[in-house]
Amino acid sequence: MKSLVLVFICWFISFNLFSQESFESGEVIYSVKIASKSNFENPLKRNDFNGFRKKMDRFSETVSYRLKFNRVSSLFSVNLDMTLEKEESFSKLAKVLTKSDHVYFVDFRKKTLIEQKPFFGEDFLVQSSTSDLKWELINETKVIGSYTCYKAKVKRKRSGPYKGEDAYITYIAWYCPTIPFNYGPFEFCNLPGLIIELSIKNRIYRATKVVLKKEEMKIQKPSKGKLVTKEELESIGKKAFENR
């Protein structure tokens, strides 16, 4: 508990020092690494998995993500160099697994998230609240690059017919209190510092470049698609699935 108090003291001090530096915005580049390992007993299945894993590793090397932010909002999107475009079926699956066709906009003042995403052949802007991220701050630190980061985790319920522990996914974040912007990859935000690393299942998103700016960067809100809530999108998906 004492260490968590120190986190907030550190954040408060760094925020004041940071404010004196007058940084108004910034940009982060994240790389993604697929961390899964084969555990198939069947040699044929193991070979198939290893082949897929090698393709995913090659694909992940071509992908990076950009987070742009200022004091009131952020935008997270992909930088994609498709070297595997010839393998169309694999490319589509890889895009789904890495969410490389989604855009995430966070409004810090309104505590809202807008996710721009394709769904059943259409584009949607899915609006939700960022307040459902009930982070647990953990007494653990590690150095990532030149940043001392603190650990946090959040457990969220999965959609679908899952039961018990399988019904939840635990996300692990490492955030840096000395960079007091409350943003991170995808929809993950609201920590007392910038998220430098995020683990989602077998994928690790890690900041490879952080640039802070004294001038305010303009963040453009995504506008491609129909504005809906999560519940409305689920209803649309259910009807589309039934019609098919």
Side-chain angles (χ1 to χ4, degrees):
M1 184 65 184
K2 288 182 180 180
S3 62
L4 296 182
V5 172
L6 289 175
V7 170
F8 285 103
I9 292 175
C10 177
W11 177 83
F12 180 77
I13 294 173
S14 64
F15 182 82
N16 289 327
L17 293 174
F18 186 88
S19 298
Q20 293 174 13
E21 291 289 335
S22 299
F23 291 114
E24 297 293 332
S25 60
E27 186 172 333
V28 184
I29 301 298
Y30 293 91
S31 65
V32 56
K33 181 176 178 59
I34 311 298
S36 63
K37 295 182 179 180
S38 173
N39 58 357
F40 290 109
E41 295 181 0
N42 187 314
L44 294 178
K45 289 184 178 180
R46 183 165 59 248
N47 290 336
D48 289 343
F49 178 86
N50 288 336
F52 177 79
R53 169 67 188 275
K54 287 180 181 178
K55 287 185 179 180
M56 281 301 300
D57 286 343
R58 286 164 51 205
F59 178 85
S60 65
E61 290 174 357
T62 71
V63 178
S64 64
Y65 295 84
R66 175 180 279 111
L67 173 68
K68 298 190 294 184
F69 55 85
N70 55 33
R71 291 187 179 275
V72 297
S73 61
S74 70
L75 187 72
F76 182 81
S77 58
V78 70
N79 297 317
L80 189 60
D81 177 18
M82 282 303 299
T83 60
L84 302 179
E85 195 65 53
K86 293 181 180 179
E87 302 181 62
E88 184 178 354
S89 59
F90 172 77
S91 296
K92 288 182 179 179
L93 176 59
K95 286 180 180 180
V96 171
L97 292 176
T98 56
K99 290 189 175 182
S100 59
D101 52 0
H102 294 212
V103 175
Y104 297 81
F105 174 82
V106 170
D107 187 320
F108 183 70
R109 288 177 176 172
K110 296 181 180 179
K111 297 189 182 301
T112 58
L113 164 75
I114 293 179
E115 179 184 356
Q116 179 180 289
K117 61 185 291 186
F119 192 65
F120 280 97
E122 296 184 54
D123 291 311
F124 290 92
L125 299 168
V126 187
Q127 183 169 299
S128 59
S129 171
T130 61
S131 61
D132 68 330
L133 291 169
K134 307 299 183 183
W135 289 103
E136 177 187 351
L137 304 184
I138 298 172
N139 180 21
E140 190 174 340
T141 64
K142 74 173 178 177
V143 176
I144 303 174
S146 59
Y147 302 104
T148 298
C149 300
Y150 291 79
K151 186 176 183 180
K153 69 178 181 179
V154 62
K155 184 182 289 188
R156 305 179 79 182
K157 189 173 178 60
R158 303 172 66 178
S159 59
Y162 299 98
K163 296 181 180 180
E165 285 299 315
D166 291 336
Y168 296 88
I169 299 177
T170 298
Y171 303 88
I172 304 294
W174 293 90
Y175 65 95
C176 181
T178 57
I179 309 179
F181 283 104
N182 310 93
Y183 307 117
F186 303 104
E187 71 269 34
F188 297 95
C189 56
N190 288 349
L191 281 170
L194 183 73
I195 296 177
I196 300 298
E197 182 178 291
L198 177 71
S199 296
I200 303 177
K201 293 184 180 179
N202 63 339
R203 300 187 303 278
I204 300 174
Y205 300 85
R206 181 175 296 160
T208 57
K209 183 179 180 180
V210 179
V211 178
L212 300 176
K213 302 181 179 182
K214 292 187 176 182
E215 69 276 8
E216 181 180 358
M217 182 189 302
K218 298 296 183 182
I219 306 296
Q220 187 171 354
K221 185 177 179 180
S223 58
K224 182 182 177 182
K226 179 182 178 181
L227 185 64
V228 296
T229 64
K230 283 185 177 181
E231 292 75 19
E232 289 172 337
L233 189 68
E234 288 176 2
S235 178
I236 291 170
K238 184 177 180 181
K239 290 179 181 178
F241 182 78
E242 290 173 350
N243 290 337
R244 288 194 174 188

